[in-house]
Amino acid sequence: NTLKADSSYFNPTLWQNGEMVKTKGYCSDVFTDAAIDFVENNKEQPFFLYLAFNAPHAPLQVPQKYYNLYKDIDPAKGFENDIRPFPEMDEKSKSAARKVYAMVSNIDENMGKLLNKLNELELEQNTLVIFMTDNGPVPYRYLAGMRGRKSLVFQGGVRVPCFWRYPREFKGNRDIFTPASHYDILPTLAELCGGKIPADRKIDGKSLLPLLKNRKSVFSDRSLCRSWMRGLPEKYNNVSIRKGNYKLVGNCEEAATIEQFELFNIAKDPYELNNIVESNNNKALALKTEMGRWLDEMVASPNIVNPPRVVIGTRFENPSILNLNDVVVLKNKQLKSNSASWKIEIANSGSYDILFHFRQKITADCQIQINLGAFEHNVHFERPHSDVLKVENIQLPAVKADLITSLLLIGENKNTYITPFYVEVRRRS
């Protein structure tokens, strides 16, 4: 269970029903094989299968046979006679693009295997298949002319394909250009299955069945807001709103004037190249007002005001893994140090082991500091030569608090702080 930076997508160690298991093969193949086994085992009854590939994503590792399909192409040339805007690509971006295209070909092949299995079992007519993707690339590559990339709210960072296949109900192959969102899936499935939408909370999504069944669209006045931020949404930084053909983008401060925003007519300018905010101030101001209400609602939502905590020390999960997706990095400029903080709840007081996993072996003398509310614990290690440091048998109280951890490397000339890659908390008793 160590971090394999150079080959982590091959023969990966994965969680299966709460246990770490060593698998054999390329990760996307492993996931697909497990999905096919699941379909085989549940073919006589209704089932729900969620197959989430981590590819294409860094680290860009792929079997050689797929990479060979693209190793001799120049990804910067785009497609012949394609006049859409194309990003400049350096050699590093070109190399990354080849690997990503190879990973996509692998997924295409695996999706084919899964769909063929549904056909073989005569399940395809009555099985709804939804295929969608992650948003935007990190290194620039072909984006169908769209502006921006991952972490930006321009089309290149938020527009993704979404394919629905349900032969019994959805007839004919069609392109649907009406904007929709991931939160539309819940009401769509509920209507399709005859389920009831909860009435005790606000549901943002709308059923897509009118669109999927080729009936008249009822989405003409709908607004879709987007924000990308590590932390709370901010007025009006990296946020957008789309309503009909108009899209307003904010990459500015809360006190910015409307002229500092960008307004696009997506129907006439799908690549977001022509900012028309100066000639459409009233339209932009109306969209900004609606965007502001949405941001206020987001910041005031219960899960942001009181973020859910990772519950540790129950019989349902042991050990618990604290990873980088949930971490808050606390920076101390005076000490030039970083600490990793997780919002946790120790459900039961008792004896615990805490294992700190790092990206590289720690070879120097070091000290780990653990803070949990009023609880503080320090452990010294003499040249451990390991990428896992274990703090054993410490007594933790039942408490809701932030677990703050840091590793101090003790050097002859200066001390260095390192943030763990992830932390494993195991209850002993």
Side-chain angles (χ1 to χ4, degrees):
N1 186 24
T2 58
L3 174 65
K4 301 187 300 177
D6 59 340
S7 61
S8 54
Y9 281 8
F10 295 90
N11 304 327
T13 300
L14 303 170
W15 287 101
Q16 182 176 15
N17 298 327
E19 299 291 334
M20 298 291 286
V21 296
K22 182 71 173 176
T23 63
K24 186 175 182 180
Y26 183 61
C27 58
S28 299
D29 301 336
V30 171
F31 300 146
T32 305
D33 290 344
I36 289 174
D37 288 343
F38 176 83
V39 172
E40 287 271 17
N41 293 332
N42 292 275
K43 60 188 177 184
E44 303 297 337
Q45 59 189 4
F47 61 80
F48 173 81
L49 166 63
Y50 176 58
L51 173 57
F53 296 107
N54 54 306
H57 198 284
L60 299 179
Q61 301 164 4
V62 66
Q64 188 66 35
K65 72 173 185 176
Y66 298 101
Y67 181 76
N68 288 343
L69 299 173
Y70 302 96
K71 64 183 178 67
D72 296 324
I73 70 165
D74 182 359
K77 287 186 176 179
F79 296 95
E80 189 176 358
N81 300 322
D82 193 339
I83 62 173
R84 289 175 288 190
F86 197 87
E88 293 185 9
M89 299 177 68
D90 56 21
E91 289 303 317
K92 184 177 181 181
S93 295
K94 292 179 186 179
S95 176
R98 295 185 190 101
K99 294 174 183 176
V100 166
Y101 300 158
M103 296 169 114
V104 170
S105 289
N106 170 264
I107 290 175
D108 285 346
E109 186 175 291
N110 277 306
M111 283 302 300
K113 292 178 182 177
L114 180 58
L115 295 176
N116 287 338
K117 177 56 64 173
L118 294 176
N119 183 62
E120 174 190 320
L121 298 176
E122 298 183 350
L123 297 174
E124 77 283 357
Q125 289 295 317
N126 197 34
T127 300
L128 170 63
V129 177
I130 305 172
F131 180 90
M132 53 189 177
T133 77
D134 194 2
N135 55 305
V138 177
Y140 276 115
R141 58 178 179 267
Y142 179 76
L143 267 176
M146 293 185 293
R147 179 180 174 184
R149 55 180 174 172
K150 184 174 182 176
S151 80
L152 300 177
V153 294
F154 294 108
Q155 294 295 82
V158 299
R159 183 182 175 184
V160 298
C162 188
F163 300 93
W164 295 61
R165 192 188 83 156
Y166 188 15
R168 196 184 77 173
E169 297 289 338
F170 307 152
K171 305 299 182 183
N173 298 325
R174 293 179 293 114
D175 292 328
I176 300 174
F177 296 99
T178 304
S181 188
H182 59 285
Y183 46 67
D184 295 327
I185 293 176
L186 169 63
T188 306
L189 295 184
E191 182 178 356
L192 200 58
C193 299
K196 291 184 178 180
I197 295 292
D200 60 345
R201 69 204 69 186
K202 180 181 178 182
I203 302 296
D204 291 319
K206 294 179 179 292
S207 173
L208 300 176
L209 278 189
L211 296 172
L212 294 166
K213 291 194 172 186
N214 209 16
R215 299 200 295 263
K216 185 177 179 180
S217 173
V218 292
F219 290 71
S220 56
D221 294 327
R222 186 188 193 194
S223 299
L224 293 175
C225 293
R226 297 286 179 264
S227 171
W228 199 98
M229 192 64 55
R230 291 290 191 191
L232 298 180
E234 298 177 5
K235 288 183 175 179
Y236 289 93
N237 183 22
N238 206 10
V239 60
S240 72
I241 180 171
R242 176 163 179 190
K243 192 170 189 176
N245 290 329
Y246 288 94
K247 179 178 176 183
L248 184 72
V249 176
N251 283 299
C252 46
E253 297 179 352
E254 183 172 359
T257 64
I258 195 62
E259 288 78 16
Q260 292 174 269
F261 287 74
E262 294 179 87
L263 180 69
F264 307 102
N265 185 322
I266 296 298
K268 297 179 179 179
D269 178 26
Y271 310 127
E272 298 172 293
L273 299 177
N274 303 310
N275 181 9
I276 58 173
V277 71
E278 289 188 3
S279 58
N280 294 270
N281 265 11
N282 289 337
K283 170 66 72 175
L285 284 168
L287 289 173
K288 180 190 172 187
T289 299
E290 194 170 345
M291 176 194 289
R293 288 198 298 265
W294 179 80
L295 287 166
D296 290 341
E297 181 184 341
M298 291 300 102
V299 173
S301 62
N303 285 339
I304 287 183
V305 175
N306 296 301
R309 295 181 177 274
V310 179
V311 181
I312 291 172
T314 74
R315 63 183 178 85
F316 302 107
E317 182 183 67
N318 193 32
S320 296
I321 304 297
L322 306 176
N323 59 48
L324 290 182
N325 289 327
D326 302 314
V327 75
V328 174
V329 176
L330 306 176
K331 296 184 178 181
N332 187 321
K333 293 183 179 179
Q334 184 176 359
L335 296 177
K336 296 182 179 180
S337 67
N338 290 341
S339 297
S341 174
W342 287 272
K343 291 188 174 297
I344 70 167
E345 175 185 350
I346 302 293
N348 296 286
S349 62
S351 176
Y352 288 81
D353 295 337
I354 304 180
L355 285 73
F356 296 84
H357 297 256
F358 297 91
R359 295 178 183 271
Q360 69 279 334
K361 284 188 176 182
I362 307 300
T363 58
D365 288 356
C366 59
Q367 177 176 295
I368 282 183
Q369 179 173 317
I370 301 170
N371 293 91
L372 182 64
F375 175 86
E376 180 175 325
H377 190 74
N378 295 281
V379 180
H380 182 81
F381 296 86
E382 291 188 9
R383 300 185 177 185
H385 289 275
S386 176
D387 58 357
V388 182
L389 300 185
K390 187 174 184 180
V391 178
E392 295 185 279
N393 197 20
I394 60 174
Q395 299 295 314
L396 296 181
V399 65
K400 293 181 180 180
D402 293 352
L403 175 66
I404 303 174
T405 67
S406 62
L407 172 72
L408 171 65
L409 296 181
I410 303 171
E412 293 183 2
N413 299 320
K414 66 175 183 178
N415 296 334
T416 305
Y417 290 84
I418 296 180
T419 302
F421 182 55
Y422 67 94
V423 174
E424 182 180 349
V425 184
R426 185 185 302 272
R427 184 185 178 194
R428 295 167 65 108
S429 62

